[in-house]
Amino acid sequence: NWGYQPGIVRDIVVSVLRAEGPLAKDELVKRVQKERHVKENTILINLQNRAYFKKLSDGRFSVA
């Protein structure tokens, strides 16, 4: 109803990464916050889950 994607924050991060490809942390936070109003630390905590996300050698994140 409000224009936000349904699901948990991890689902939103995965969908943004699948649509946009690997992104830097700051850019990823901005794009996720456009989809859902959440705090930056919530997104960063979700990125630490290595079962879903991997950090590339250049510092960008992608779906594992």
Side-chain angles (χ1 to χ4, degrees), residues 2 5 10 13 22 24 27 29 31 35 41 45 52-53 62:
W2 295 91
Q5 280 189 359
R10 181 179 66 219
V13 175
E27 187 63 29
V29 168
R31 304 230 179 157
E35 299 295 326
N41 285 337
I45 288 172
Y52 293 94
F53 308 106
S62 69

Side-chain angles (χ1 to χ4, degrees), residues 1 3-4 9 17 30-32 34-35 48 50 61:
N1 285 354
Y4 291 126
V9 175
L17 286 173
K30 287 179 190 175
R31 304 230 179 157
V32 170
K34 285 182 184 177
E35 299 295 326
Q48 293 178 0
R50 298 294 176 219
F61 286 91

Side-chain angles (χ1 to χ4, degrees), residues 40-51:
E40 180 178 353
N41 285 337
T42 305
I43 299 167
L44 299 178
I45 288 172
N46 278 281
L47 287 174
Q48 293 178 0
N49 189 341
R50 298 294 176 219

